[in-house]
Amino acid sequence: MNPASETPHSRAAETMVVSPTAITRVRRQRRRWPWVLGGVIVLLLAVAVVVAESMARGYVADTIAARVAAEFELESADDVEVTLGSSPVIPQLIAGRLDSIDIEIEEFTLGELTGALELHAESVPLDEASTTELVTGRFTLEAGDLLAVAAQLSGLDPESITLDAPEIVVTATLELFDFEFSVGLGVQPDIADGALVFTPTSFRLGDEALTADELTSNPVFASLAQMFLQQEPICLAEMLPAAIVLDDVEVVSDQLVVTFTANDIAVGAPGERGTCDNGNE
């Protein structure tokens, strides 16, 4: 065909010819856009959920720390470390209760004793008027922490206190007949009526070890026995919420560990404190 004879209509027809491959590509691109958009929306929602969960965890941890600080009359909630369980927090907030939380206070003071406090709580309500189903705790003391209560452990003026399971050993230097010698008194701790009590179990003089009964019946040391055997209870209950029950105390390795539990305890503000029925309230 002569180019000169081509009409504008024929040239336009030629320019509008599109290959089947191009048509298929366009169709695929059009089908892909809704999926891409949907993926972006899902990603944004996932990010929003993660951010919301993180914010919720922070808010809940701060709230629990404030409650604990108020309950135990701490100077600041900053000293309370709260760890939430692995389950998502937002569904628990909707339900109105937290499954479980763990709390740690590195330096917790009960009277003259300062140690580390660990708490585990289950079924914790958001409503402060409601009660937490179960709280278990450990109050852990190092040997040096017991120097503050040396007078309750014995009548000795101790140079050192060591933990030698199952005993607490108080060591002191005595002078007798112009001679100085080192003695050690071993006492075993126990819980009685909300207080720590101490029972003398051994007396150590050099390589010789006597029981408390042998000490009192020994003609040489009988006169000194009353000096050694002057133990006094340490009431802990009066410094704790009344719902807390002291369960046990024992020397574990190089630590003195006091354990306790509380059922259906309201946590949120200073409430009624416990008492000791041993005359040391």
Side-chain angles (χ1 to χ4, degrees), residues 212 215-218 221-231:
L215 174 64
T216 56
S217 61
N218 187 292
F221 297 110
S223 60
L224 298 175
Q226 295 305 314
M227 178 190 302
F228 303 137
L229 308 181
Q230 294 180 17
Q231 288 70 40

Side-chain angles (χ1 to χ4, degrees), residues 74-91:
L74 304 178
E75 292 184 359
S76 173
D78 294 338
D79 299 328
V80 182
E81 182 179 340
V82 178
T83 302
L84 305 177
S86 58
S87 301
V89 168
I90 293 178

Side-chain angles (χ1 to χ4, degrees), residues 63-256:
T63 301
I64 295 298
R67 286 193 192 181
V68 172
E71 181 67 38
F72 291 107
E73 300 181 342
L74 304 178
E75 292 184 359
S76 173
D78 294 338
D79 299 328
V80 182
E81 182 179 340
V82 178
T83 302
L84 305 177
S86 58
S87 301
V89 168
I90 293 178
Q92 299 177 59
L93 293 178
I94 296 173
R97 278 187 178 269
L98 302 174
D99 294 340
S100 67
I101 58 174
D102 291 287
I103 298 166
E104 184 175 348
I105 304 173
E106 188 173 342
E107 292 189 3
F108 181 76
T109 299
L110 281 177
E112 296 180 274
L113 293 172
T114 299
L117 179 66
E118 298 176 1
L119 302 173
H120 175 76
E122 297 180 2
S123 188
V124 182
L126 303 180
D127 180 7
E128 293 188 19
S130 300
T131 59
T132 297
E133 185 175 297
L134 174 66
V135 175
T136 58
R138 287 166 50 96
F139 183 46
T140 305
L141 300 158
E142 305 291 339
D145 300 327
L146 296 172
L147 286 170
V149 293
Q152 282 92 331
L153 297 177
S154 77
L156 300 174
D157 183 12
E159 294 177 346
S160 67
I161 295 177
T162 59
L163 297 173
D164 185 10
E167 292 180 323
I168 302 170
V169 180
V170 180
T171 303
T173 298
L174 296 181
E175 183 176 340
L176 184 63
F177 305 124
D178 295 328
F179 290 98
E180 289 187 350
F181 53 94
S182 178
V183 297
L185 177 67
V187 297
Q188 286 193 16
D190 200 357
I191 297 292
D193 300 318
L196 291 179
V197 296
F198 308 97
T199 302
T201 48
S202 67
F203 174 72
R204 308 175 188 193
L205 177 60
D207 295 332
E208 185 176 2
L210 304 173
T211 65
D213 290 338
E214 289 172 337
L215 174 64
T216 56
S217 61
N218 187 292
V220 176
F221 297 110
S223 60
L224 298 175
Q226 295 305 314
M227 178 190 302
F228 303 137
L229 308 181
Q230 294 180 17
Q231 288 70 40
E232 298 178 11
I234 301 174
C235 182
L236 298 183
E238 65 183 8
M239 294 169 282
L240 294 169
I244 290 180
V245 177
L246 299 178
D247 295 322
D248 193 20
V249 58
E250 62 178 332
V251 177
V252 181
S253 184
D254 58 350
Q255 295 181 322
L256 182 69

